[in-house]
Amino acid sequence: NAGVMQNPRHLVRRRGQEARLRCSPMKGHSHVYWYRQLPEEGLKFMVYLQKENIIDESGMPKERFSAEFPKEGPSILRIQQVVRGDSAAYFCASSKQGKNTEAFFGQGTRLTVV
Amino acid sequence: GIQVEQSPPDLILQEGANSTLRCNFSDSVNNLQWFHQNPWGQLINLFYIPSGTKQNGRLSATTVATERYSLLYISSSQTTDSGVYFCAVESSNYKLTFGKGTLLTVNP
């Protein structure tokens, strides 16, 4: 039973380019969360999605960032026109239910903006 | 929002030593998890423990929800235990709020 799969593991983008981060939840999990870990900081919630729905995006920057979890395929976190400050580790987590349940994390995508 | 404080921030041990990591939180919680972030950055689930005590090998955890703290015990530490240990809590919604972590270094 595969865990949460994220790809790519490492991504290098030049300033102004787009970054696409993918996440496939654990089998049987329909709740997906994205967290960001900035250098020297803990992990911060960004967005919570269920299939085809964004439930809560209160932790996501208002501009340039978007997320989706389509009916088929992985969840995508998209960052447009990346800037150096977007360099961070982005983690995806999944769970069976939305509340009161264990969340499992992927290995993360390390984004470096040069 | 809920506050999560972890202590100590840093801990250096000799292989074989025991340690206790603490997590205090400022409000009642529905969910509490302990994670180990290894030197490669991977987040590994250790315990899902909103209350009570659990054990897994050399690791055990206790959460006293009424007093708003959780403890992670590591016995007979090994060099592979090195990394950052995070406590994360879910209060009234589905979001996990993470502490800043304890950086553990186990020397051979």
Side-chain angles (χ1 to χ4, degrees):
Chain A
N1 187 15
V4 179
M5 303 299 292
Q6 289 189 248
N7 67 81
R9 290 288 309 280
H10 300 275
L11 183 60
V12 179
R13 283 287 177 265
R14 295 186 183 278
R15 281 177 293 172
Q17 291 185 318
E18 178 178 285
R20 282 197 180 202
L21 289 60
R22 294 176 184 78
C23 169
S24 295
M26 283 180 70
K27 188 176 181 181
H29 288 191
S30 59
H31 299 257
V32 166
Y33 317 81
W34 287 91
Y35 288 80
R36 178 165 66 173
Q37 185 176 32
L38 290 164
E40 308 302 322
E41 291 190 20
L43 286 90
K44 306 283 189 193
F45 168 82
M46 296 181 73
V47 61
Y48 164 37
L49 310 104
Q50 294 181 38
K51 283 287 188 182
E52 300 185 278
N53 289 306
I54 297 175
I55 307 301
D56 183 340
E57 54 183 351
S58 60
M60 205 146 70
K62 295 285 185 280
E63 297 178 353
R64 303 186 296 107
F65 285 72
S66 62
E68 63 178 11
F69 188 15
K71 187 177 180 180
E72 301 291 336
S75 175
I76 306 287
L77 179 67
R78 182 185 292 113
I79 311 172
Q80 296 178 300
Q81 298 176 327
V82 296
V83 301
R84 289 238 171 96
D86 297 332
S87 295
Y90 292 82
F91 288 91
C92 171
S94 74
S95 65
K96 276 189 180 178
Q97 303 164 204
K99 291 177 67 170
N100 306 349
T101 186
E102 188 172 7
F104 293 85
F105 282 74
Q107 292 182 307
T109 293
R110 274 142 193 86
L111 172 65
T112 302
V113 180
V114 296
Chain B
I2 192 167
Q3 305 296 313
V4 181
E5 303 268 346
Q6 288 188 244
S7 59
D10 302 277
L11 185 58
I12 300 175
L13 300 174
Q14 286 299 123
E15 205 166 21
N18 302 328
S19 61
T20 301
L21 282 58
R22 187 176 179 102
C23 172
N24 292 334
F25 41 95
S26 60
D27 204 348
S28 58
V29 297
N30 301 321
N31 172 12
L32 187 146
Q33 292 186 240
W34 283 96
F35 298 91
H36 174 214
Q37 187 166 38
N38 64 23
W40 296 271
Q42 186 177 2
L43 271 175
I44 299 163
N45 285 43
L46 296 178
F47 294 101
Y48 169 67
I49 187 165
S51 64
T53 297
K54 289 186 178 179
Q55 178 149 13
N56 184 4
R58 296 181 295 104
L59 274 60
S60 64
T62 295
T63 297
V64 184
T66 53
E67 297 187 21
R68 299 181 184 170
Y69 73 88
S70 182
L71 301 174
L72 177 69
Y73 306 96
I74 304 173
S75 64
S76 304
S77 57
Q78 300 175 358
T79 55
T80 51
D81 295 332
S82 295
V84 182
Y85 289 79
F86 288 106
C87 167
V89 302
E90 173 199 337
S91 55
S92 60
N93 54 39
Y94 37 76
K95 305 175 190 177
L96 284 176
T97 300
F98 283 77
K100 292 192 175 180
T102 292
L103 174 60
L104 176 64
T105 302
V106 181
N107 292 320

